[in-house]
Structures are given as structure tokens and as C-alpha cells.
Amino acid sequence: GRNLVSDPISNKGLAFPLSERDRLSVRGLVPPRILSIQEQERVIMDEYTRGWAARAEQEPEDEIIKSGVSPDNIRKWKVLQSVQDRNETLFYRILMDNFQDMAPIIYTPTVGWACSHFSQLYRRPRGMYFSHGDRGEMASMVYNWESDEVDAVVITDGSRILGLGDLGLGGLGISIGKLDLYVAAGGFHPRRVLPVVLDIGTNTQ
């Protein structure tokens, strides 16, 4: 499953139907929601025409922007995520060598903006998603994860994210960012960490 979602030719992102998710061992490796290729295209085209930095500039009342996260912080976050998707060795080398400058980009406060816009992120899947529909199946789903040995698991239910409220699945960005810091500053091996979100719904409309 992990190889499949990392293969740009075979990966369909959120378009895998439930039957294929079980059969191909990708259940839990992609968010539980199903989006057709056409729906995914609309999300990408919105980013293509507007862009994240431009969107941030157009949202001056956004709580995260008001807290001091600049469009340039968001640009830097995107650059680092792109490096991580291509070359994790390089990503962690850069993060370790520039830890003080980059920690606020990888984690708080910038990650708050990424979490609040997580549904617009289409990148290599990172972490595991367990939804209310997976009740009773989690023990079998965890075998879809690529590593049999995990030293650190960071779990969120997506609620109360950095004072932003209940972000549901978007909270996975917190688990990912925190574990990136554990790897860079705490010496954990990147193959032995597991970010998890328990996507059991939110209290918000």
C-alpha cells in the first residue's frame, strides 16, 4: 500500500474507492473521504490560480495571519514540504543545520495555517488516518504502515489545535510537525515514527 500511494503513476489520491482501499492495503494511508479525480482537480486549480501566499494576503482577518504568520512563512513551509517529499535525508539535514530558524516554520506557529488549510494539501501521504468508520478495524489497518518498529507515535483528534478550534482531520499537521522536530532535535529515526489522526468528526459546522 505504501509503495502504491508513493507511486505517481498508480496513485489516485483520494479517488480510491473503499473496496480498493482494503484490497490494495491503502486504508488508513489516505484520508477516509473519497474525492473523484475531477474534485481533486478543482482543488489543485484553485491553488494554481490563487496560490497559498496570495490567499494568505487576501485573508487579513484570518486568526493565524493576525497572529504573525506571514505569507513568506507559508512559502517557506511549502518549500520545506516539497524537499521532504523528494529527499528526507536532505530535509532533515537542512532542518538540523537551521533548527532555530526553521522550527517555527515546521511547527508552531506556521503549521497552524497549514492545519487550517489541510484539505487543500495534496502531497505524498504522511501518517495514518483512522475514522469513526474504522472502528474495530484499526488493528488490521495498522499493518498497512510501512514500518513494523515504531518508537514514537503522536496522535491527535484534531480538536483545540493551537487555539484554532476543532480542525478534525486537519490536525494531522500537528502530529507530522511535532515528529519532524523529534527526528531533527531528538534523534528519532524518520522510519520509526508514526503521525496519527483520529478523525471522529468535529463540533463545528
Side-chain angles (χ1 to χ4, degrees), residues 161-174:
I161 298 296
L162 303 176
L164 301 173
D166 199 349
L167 299 182
L169 187 127
L172 183 64
I174 292 293

Side-chain angles (χ1 to χ4, degrees), residues 5-155:
V5 295
S6 297
D7 178 358
I9 296 294
S10 303
N11 184 26
K12 295 192 282 189
L14 300 181
F16 288 108
L18 292 178
S19 58
E20 282 189 357
R21 292 178 184 214
D22 282 328
R23 191 171 74 251
L24 299 174
S25 300
V26 298
R27 186 173 175 184
L29 300 182
V30 293
R33 180 151 182 226
I34 296 173
L35 287 182
S36 69
I37 293 295
Q38 292 78 15
E39 290 172 311
Q40 293 180 65
E41 179 185 5
R42 282 197 291 272
V43 174
I44 296 299
M45 290 309 297
D46 182 55
E47 182 179 347
Y48 179 81
T49 55
R50 293 178 63 200
W52 279 44
R55 190 181 295 126
E57 289 171 348
Q58 293 166 7
E59 298 174 352
E61 295 306 309
D62 185 296
E63 290 299 318
I64 304 162
I65 302 301
K66 284 164 57 176
S67 74
V69 174
S70 70
D72 194 51
N73 293 136
I74 296 163
R75 180 192 61 78
K76 290 175 181 176
W77 182 89
K78 289 276 283 180
V79 168
L80 291 173
Q81 300 312 303
S82 176
V83 173
Q84 187 177 27
D85 284 346
R86 293 190 317 270
N87 185 337
E88 286 204 35
T89 302
L90 177 60
F91 169 77
Y92 287 114
R93 177 78 270 159
I94 292 169
L95 186 52
M96 287 188 290
D97 288 347
N98 302 277
F99 190 80
Q100 189 167 354
D101 291 333
M102 292 184 174
I105 303 297
I106 293 298
Y107 197 52
T108 59
T110 309
V111 74
W113 198 90
C115 287
S116 67
H117 293 77
F118 204 78
S119 63
Q120 290 133 11
L121 290 175
Y122 280 82
R123 52 182 298 228
R124 188 162 62 94
R126 193 172 298 279
M128 288 203 77
Y129 307 83
F130 297 103
S131 72
H132 60 86
D134 299 321
R135 189 172 182 175
E137 304 289 336
M138 292 169 69
S140 61
M141 288 170 60
V142 79
Y143 286 104
N144 292 341
W145 189 246
E146 63 182 334
S147 178
D148 291 335
E149 297 182 5
V150 174
D151 297 323
V153 180
V154 174
I155 302 173

